[in-house]
Amino acid sequence: MKDKLTLMIPGPTPVPETVLKAMGRHPIGHRSGEFQTIVKRTNEQLRWLHQTSNDVVVITGSGTAAMEAGIINTLSYGDKVLCGSNGKFGERWVKVAKSYGLDVEVIKAEWGQPLDPDIFKQALESDTSKEIKGVIITHSETSTGVLNDLEKISKYVNSHGTALMIADCVTSLGACNVPMDLWGLDVVASGSQKGYMMPPGLSFVAMSEKAWKASDKSNLPKFYLDLKPYRKTAAQNSNPFTPAVNLYFALEAALAMMEEEGLDAIFNRHARHRAAAQASMKAIGLSLYAADGFGSPAITSVVPNNIDAEVLRKEIKNRYDILLAGGQDHLKGKIFRIGHLGFVSDRDLLTAIASIEATLQTLGLNNNMGAGLAAAQKILH
Ligand SMILES: *Cc1c(COP(=O)(O)O)cnc(C)c1O
């Protein structure tokens, strides 16, 4: 049905009407006093969201731009880095690091499994000559629905002393607790189309004082993504280039909504939705792809045992206008992923679960219609 599409993918995520309306006005001059007021306000809101006193820089670009910026501003040619890889995004950061000539040691885990913090610990502890300059990991690995133990890995990085903790928090920020200062994170990257409840187009890099200091020495090539001019102009409530002015209107509105809900309430909502999504899929006899206890608060990956996941996904889209995410690479057809990130309510999740059940029943693969909803309702009630 026209105009009925519900996004249940891990980005772009649904956008509240308040945010859409905030965007729907004429752009204003990006050097105007009115715009500077918005920059000032959003800079404060971003610090609140990141639980940090550090500067958070806003880039016009997708999440990858933020992550690439974090890497190329803090490291130098030939620097040794440890890069965690247990999914598509982990693989991407390995590629970025290698394309800039970093000396990358990949620490892998099977897709669906979390990274093992002890391997990082050993590599960091045995590095007595302090060759390791950075540790790069993805907190919530969206491709598999696994939440890695960023807090623990960051603790080992901080004990090492020299290495910087560089984290892709694109689907964890605004979904679960990511206290930047408390955990000692040096670079935190995120994107507007995820937990921010905004359309795609803005991305964010928060950097610790240690990371800013490293940026003074970093010799990797950069111009548009050189973060120093962003920091300097942010201090004057401005931007080095023309920012996506209308997305700033959206950012201000979305962060105000997040402040109104409160961080703890936002994290609780995501935790409840994760629990309900997991319980419902198990109740209808499907298995979860992510290792037990490591499911992401943003996304639940599901293995539909007797059907191609792509067929199921297409049926759900055609019948009910709900878009679920598919599997990537070797997981295509093997899993589907329910996004419950950002502006997602109990109703959205219950509807998605009901649609999965109904579609399976239509296809003759579910004779216990309602079991998933009952399991979800036990958690949501
Ligand atoms: C979405 C996402 C990104 C950023 O992807 P873009 O398409 O560049 O916005 C990075 N990391 C993770 C884990 C993501 O889910």
Side-chain angles (χ1 to χ4, degrees), residues 56-110:
V56 186
V57 155
V58 183
I59 298 171
T60 306
S62 78
T64 303
M67 204 48 198
E68 179 163 334
I71 292 170
I72 67 176
N73 278 272
T74 54
L75 298 164
S76 290
Y77 189 79
D79 275 356
K80 175 157 184 186
V81 293
L82 306 180
C83 203
S85 175
N86 59 336
K88 190 89 182 152
F89 288 100
E91 283 180 356
R92 184 177 296 175
W93 312 138
V94 171
K95 279 188 205 149
V96 171
K98 284 187 175 163
S99 39
Y100 281 98
L102 300 177
D103 173 12
V104 186
E105 182 179 333
V106 184
I107 296 185
K108 277 193 183 169
E110 289 295 316

Side-chain angles (χ1 to χ4, degrees), residues 155-170:
K155 211 169 70 191
Y156 300 142
V157 174
N158 282 288
S159 302
H160 177 272
T162 302
L164 295 166
M165 181 70 243
I166 299 171
D168 168 351
C169 295
V170 179

